[in-house]
Each structure stands twice: as structure tokens, then as C-alpha cells.
Amino acid sequence: MSKGSVKVLSFWSRNYPKHNLDSRIVARPSETAMSKDSVKLLNIWPSMFGLRVHYALDLKGVSYDYQEESLSNKSKELLEANPIYTKIPVLIHNGKPICESLVIVDYIDSVWPGSHKLLPEDPYEKAVARFWADFGDKKLYDAGNQLIQAMGEEHKKAGEDFKWALMKIDEALGTIAPGKPFFGGDAMNFADVGLAPFICRFKGYQKVGGFVLPGPEEWPNLYKWVDAINSVDAIKKSTPSPDEVAEFAEVLRKRVLGAA
């Protein structure tokens, strides 16, 4: 996460500390809870990294508590749980903190394997799933941030990089799981959980970042994947509305440009 993003996230969490949280991401027991362990997630609602953890827990049916953090006034619990980076998300399981979103998702999959396994057993398929989850961090996240924050040639390049990344995802879906809705075939896997949080940001990338998203005739696999992700009940529980995310992106861009 860039320093500019952290500053604006701090501004947002300070000024909008209860932004529709009651209707979306509150502490809740799961009817299909697979564990009576103490599980708690520290996060801020606009974080796509935190959404990965929400998605993994909800897909597994794990009961957990949620604590909304303020990056301008970090809780003692967050600072003690993640003293190295002092960042969200942090999962606290029976008093033990786990940090970094993909590490947390991997941990969740190991502790609560259940009927919905996120990482395949096959070593190669497991490596492929990890690769595409990491692809989101290395390619989509930075380009998306630049779409919102950059100007001039940097903004133009960000649009090109973002389009290239989405094109590669469309191609990968057609190769890895031809005819299927998810990277995991008929059900979401580790790659799907890693990439799905970008979907609710698309409107912000378009409305605020000026990105022109090609249609389904050009990227049929991507659109099929997006529709499939949005239809999963476990995903609906914690996903903020695209309008809220676009509003956040607009605040971010205005603040960054105002500081330029």
C-alpha cells in the first residue's frame, strides 16, 4: 500500500468511522460455523486485502468477530498484533495474530479445510492458484492505484497496465478452467479469493480513474467470472457497494491532487 493511500485511508477512517458498517461487516456468528475458537478480524472497510480474509472466512462458514480500525488512530490491539508493519488486515485466532492477506487466507484454508478447499492438493494446480492471487498484488493493485492517483503520462500508463492485467486474467480463465466460472472450476479457489476484491473497485476505476472497461465480447471469460463471483452468497456478505467504493476513490483522488 502506497504512502498516499495510507494517508487518505487514515482521513477516511477518521471522518467516516461508521460508514454503513452495521449493514455490511459487523461481528456475526455463522449458522454453519465450523469452529468455536476465538476468531477476530482487524481491518478497515475499504481494504481489498481485508476483503480477502472476509471472503475466505465466509466461504468456510467460520464464525468471527470484526473490529473496524482507524489508521489515524490505530488500536493498541493492532499495534501489538502486527508490530512489524502495523497494518491491516490482521486475523487473531485464539490470541495468536496472523498478518498479510494471502498468508491469512492460506492459514484459514489449513486450519478450516472443510468441504470448501481453497488450495488444490495437486502441487502444480496449487502453484498456479498462488501465482494468480499474487498477480493481483503485483499487477492490478499498483496500476489501479495509479489510475486513481496519477496524472499525465503516469495515468495513461496505469490505464494501459491495468487493461493488460485484466486481459491476462481473461486469458488465464479460458486456459485454466475452460467453460467454468471460476479459477477453481465450479467453486472459488485461492486465486478467486485473491482477485475477487478488485471487482467492487471497477466502478471507481471507471468513474474516477477514467478507465474504459472493454465489453464482454472482448473479455467473455472475465465477465463470466465477475458474474459468478457476485452471485456467491458468501461474497455478498462483506462486499461494499461499488458506489461506496467509488465515493472513496473520489475522496482519494481529490485529496492526492489537492496535495500535489
Side-chain angles (χ1 to χ4, degrees):
M1 183 180 294
S2 68
K3 292 182 179 179
S5 297
V6 170
K7 288 180 180 178
V8 178
L9 284 170
S10 299
F11 164 81
W12 191 270
S13 58
R14 182 174 66 249
N15 290 280
Y16 303 92
K18 295 182 179 179
H19 192 66
N20 281 347
L21 286 176
D22 290 340
S23 64
R24 272 208 331 272
I25 43 179
V26 296
R28 57 184 183 273
S30 170
E31 292 180 359
T32 58
M34 299 174 63
S35 172
K36 293 183 180 180
D37 295 346
S38 171
V39 183
K40 187 175 186 178
L41 173 59
L42 311 182
N43 188 41
I44 58 172
W45 75 267
S47 171
M48 57 147 289
F49 300 107
L51 271 183
R52 288 170 169 171
V53 183
H54 277 296
Y55 291 170
L57 290 169
D58 289 337
L59 284 167
K60 298 282 188 178
V62 177
S63 177
Y64 62 100
D65 293 325
Y66 176 83
Q67 179 170 302
E68 179 75 5
E69 288 288 334
S70 170
L71 296 188
S72 62
N73 185 25
K74 297 176 182 179
S75 70
K76 180 181 179 182
E77 189 170 17
L78 174 60
L79 296 175
E80 290 179 348
N82 191 358
I84 304 300
Y85 297 120
T86 67
K87 297 191 305 184
I88 50 85
V90 176
L91 184 74
I92 302 176
H93 179 212
N94 291 336
K96 297 178 180 179
I98 305 95
C99 308
E100 298 295 296
S101 64
L102 292 179
V103 174
I104 297 172
V105 174
D106 194 340
Y107 177 86
I108 291 169
D109 198 40
S110 297
V111 174
W112 297 283
S115 60
H116 194 135
K117 200 77 172 70
L118 297 176
L119 279 167
E121 293 298 331
D122 179 82
Y124 178 73
E125 292 179 0
K126 182 182 296 185
V128 170
R130 290 186 187 280
F131 175 88
W132 285 104
D134 184 64
F135 181 85
D137 288 355
K138 287 187 168 62
K139 297 299 181 180
L140 278 177
Y141 183 71
D142 288 342
N145 271 0
Q146 287 297 93
L147 272 174
I148 301 301
Q149 300 182 46
M151 299 176 65
E153 288 301 313
E154 288 186 359
H155 183 269
K156 180 181 178 181
K157 185 178 185 305
E160 294 170 351
D161 290 346
F162 195 75
K163 183 177 181 178
W164 176 87
L166 291 179
M167 178 184 69
K168 291 302 175 183
I169 291 174
D170 178 78
E171 292 174 356
L173 284 163
T175 302
I176 296 168
K180 301 292 185 178
F182 304 108
F183 275 94
D186 292 321
M188 291 178 66
N189 73 359
F190 191 84
D192 296 297
V193 170
L195 293 169
F198 287 99
I199 294 173
C200 65
R201 293 182 164 217
F202 282 174
K203 187 169 185 176
Y205 294 141
Q206 294 173 278
K207 181 179 177 181
V208 182
F211 181 73
V212 178
L213 187 68
E217 65 283 348
E218 185 170 344
W219 291 342
N221 300 313
L222 181 70
Y223 274 83
K224 181 178 181 179
W225 176 75
V226 168
D227 288 342
I229 293 289
N230 287 336
S231 69
V232 176
D233 289 338
I235 300 303
K236 297 176 185 178
K237 286 184 179 181
S238 299
T239 303
S241 77
D243 288 331
E244 288 178 324
V245 178
E247 182 185 352
F248 166 72
E250 191 167 7
V251 171
L252 174 61
R253 183 163 180 80
K254 287 179 178 179
R255 193 160 177 83
V256 170
L257 294 182

